[in-house]
Amino acid sequence: MKYPALIIDTNKIKENTRLLVDKCEKHSISVAGVTKVFCAIPEAAKAMLEGGAYMLADSRIENGKKLTDLDAPKLMLRLPLLSQVDELVENFDISLNSEYDTIKAISDKALEKGKQHGIIMMVDLGDLREGVWYEDAVEFAGTVLELKGVKLLGIGVNLTCYGGVIPTQKNLGQLVEIAEEIEKTYNIKLEIISGGNSSSIHLLDKGEMPKRINQLRLGESIALGFETAYGDRIKGTHRDAFTFAAQIIELKEKPSVPIGEIGMDAFGQKPVFEDRGLIKRAILGAGRQDIRPDGIVPKCEKISVLGASSDHLILDLTACDREYKVGDIIEFDLTYGGLLAACTSEYVEKVIR
Ligand SMILES: *Cc1c(COP(=O)(O)O)cnc(C)c1O
């Protein structure tokens, strides 16, 4: 096997998806499986569909192209680039949008191709990432309804991403009110009211999810088993659907503080060292081109991550009972940022289990 490696347990992804789909189903909510954190690796995306996700969602055109063989509607999460409208219409059925000029360009392109593209209008309820400002939403919807190449499928919101605003009964209730105002004003029915990402899950258990919310777009909760409003583990999910593994290339007892005058490290930072005396120090053949040192959590709790340069990851093994040797493999769980980095790096071997 090649190292560093990212080991992907598709059965655990499927089981995590199933648990969340069941949880959502009780509230008449469908799950769009978000594939961007694992760069839309098709086997992992397929596991989401087998677990009951009804749609696949990603933020990149390149990722969408990897999903063409999977039979499910594709949703573009990031507001489309005007320069990518052609590829958008070709590879995705629906997109989240907030700009008239972009929606008009999508409509023109769809008509040219003899298609109709679905639009979910994003509403900004105050998190200050994407979305039409909530006071302008009803009027904006009217302008979208006039375009023939697109269909206004619904409205949505994205919270806790930039501003950190937590989804509540109140702000999602406000989204539902806006949807109903649009329906009344234009005498239409909206199919989708998309109530956010993994940070909305806490409302399900509390029974505080507004009734008409009928879609969630879930990534981290499926991949890692965390809800993201408070960072809590979701009971019954697997934490280890993804495992990072790297190999020991040096193992020696050395001081914990470098000898000599301290200048800058490889990344222009002046490093600070805690004096732990003489330690058992391992260097692994992995570095910042593969992973971020703050994004990996050693499966053995007695191991600590000291730092990393481009190609070297340095660990303290002093507290471990196990006798490691050069060539041994050390395994890690991942945070969201760690998983994103490992999936994005072409140097990390992806192993499907
Ligand atoms: C990334 C993203 C999601 C998924 O977020 P998770 O926290 O991983 O569930 C949902 N919606 C949008 C618009 C996103 O960009």
Side-chain angles (χ1 to χ4, degrees):
M1 202 163 121
K2 272 170 106 183
Y3 294 97
L6 180 73
I7 301 157
I8 304 166
D9 187 327
T10 51
N11 200 44
K12 288 183 177 168
I13 296 173
K14 180 172 142 186
E15 288 179 2
N16 281 1
T17 310
R18 174 57 61 197
L19 186 140
L20 286 156
V21 164
D22 287 349
K23 205 189 249 304
C24 287
E25 220 160 52
K26 292 197 183 94
H27 301 262
S28 308
I29 290 172
S30 303
V31 172
V34 174
T35 56
K36 70 184 185 209
V37 71
F38 53 81
C39 302
I41 293 170
E43 291 88 344
K46 182 161 168 270
M48 283 179 158
L49 294 178
E50 287 168 356
Y54 84 123
M55 192 182 276
L56 293 173
D58 206 287
S59 53
R60 306 266 173 169
I61 298 278
E62 294 81 350
N63 289 351
K65 287 180 180 171
K66 298 186 201 170
L67 302 172
T68 42
D69 289 342
L70 296 174
D71 183 25
K74 314 290 170 359
L75 167 66
M76 167 54 76
L77 293 171
R78 187 168 69 180
L79 304 178
L81 276 66
L82 258 181
S83 59
Q84 286 186 330
V85 161
D86 192 337
E87 289 175 292
L88 172 76
V89 173
E90 208 50 55
N91 293 286
F92 289 83
D93 308 287
I94 308 168
S95 52
L96 306 181
N97 281 278
S98 69
E99 289 287 355
Y100 180 78
D101 289 349
T102 310
I103 302 172
K104 172 80 170 65
I106 294 170
S107 176
D108 291 348
K109 188 54 77 178
L111 286 175
E112 198 182 299
K113 291 179 187 284
K115 292 185 172 182
Q116 202 181 35
H117 184 88
I119 301 290
I120 296 178
M121 179 183 90
M122 294 303 271
V123 181
D124 188 341
L125 297 174
D127 191 58
L128 303 184
R129 206 176 81 171
E130 70 272 49
V132 176
W133 194 246
Y134 65 95
E135 291 164 321
D136 307 327
V138 175
E139 193 186 331
F140 189 97
T143 65
V144 178
L145 287 168
E146 284 169 15
L147 300 168
K148 297 285 171 268
V150 293
K151 181 166 184 350
L152 182 66
L153 292 177
I155 69 172
V157 72
N158 194 59
L159 296 165
T160 343
C161 263
Y162 174 73
V165 172
I166 287 178
T168 58
Q169 195 163 24
K170 183 151 177 265
N171 54 26
L172 291 188
Q174 198 186 349
L175 184 72
V176 172
E177 277 169 30
I178 291 168
E180 292 180 341
E181 187 68 30
I182 291 170
E183 291 180 328
K184 209 171 76 197
T185 306
Y186 304 106
N187 193 26
I188 54 166
K189 189 87 188 154
L190 293 175
E191 281 172 41
I192 299 173
I193 305 182
S194 192
N197 53 50
S198 298
S199 68
S200 295
I201 289 169
H202 72 104
L203 293 174
L204 296 172
D205 290 336
K206 291 182 191 150
E208 292 178 2
M209 184 64 81
K211 266 205 166 43
R212 279 207 60 196
I213 300 289
N214 62 3
Q215 183 194 70
L216 291 181
R217 311 175 305 268
L218 303 181
E220 179 164 358
S221 49
I222 294 176
L224 299 173
F226 284 93
E227 70 79 34
T228 56
Y230 303 98
D232 291 333
R233 292 267 305 119
I234 300 166
K235 235 178 96 201
T237 56
H238 302 283
R239 164 85 180 85
D240 57 350
F242 295 87
T243 294
F244 184 71
Q247 193 169 46
I248 300 177
I249 56 174
E250 184 187 287
L251 183 63
K252 293 185 193 303
E253 290 227 325
K254 289 188 185 180
S256 42
V257 179
I259 299 165
E261 192 188 337
I262 306 290
M264 283 191 300
D265 69 13
F267 291 87
Q269 308 287 324
K270 189 161 179 154
V272 190
F273 296 91
E274 179 195 345
D275 193 352
R276 305 182 180 186
L278 211 57
I279 60 171
K280 199 190 285 175
R281 220 164 143 279
I283 303 180
L284 306 194
R288 287 178 192 263
Q289 288 206 21
D290 314 292
I291 201 72
R292 29 188 299 180
D294 60 356
I296 52 178
V297 183
K299 290 196 193 246
C300 166
E301 284 168 18
K302 292 179 173 172
I303 297 178
S304 51
V305 178
L306 297 177
S309 57
S310 315
D311 308 296
H312 299 80
L313 178 63
I314 301 166
L315 307 183
D316 181 352
L317 302 185
T318 314
C320 285
D321 313 317
R322 185 177 151 188
E323 280 299 326
Y324 285 99
K325 56 183 192 307
V326 169
D328 281 353
I329 305 303
I330 297 195
E331 291 193 339
F332 303 84
D333 286 328
L334 293 153
T335 67
Y336 189 83
L339 178 56
L340 186 67
C343 285
T344 307
S345 172
E346 60 173 288
Y347 301 103
V348 176
E349 182 78 1
K350 316 296 187 294
V351 183
I352 312 286
R353 284 270 161 82

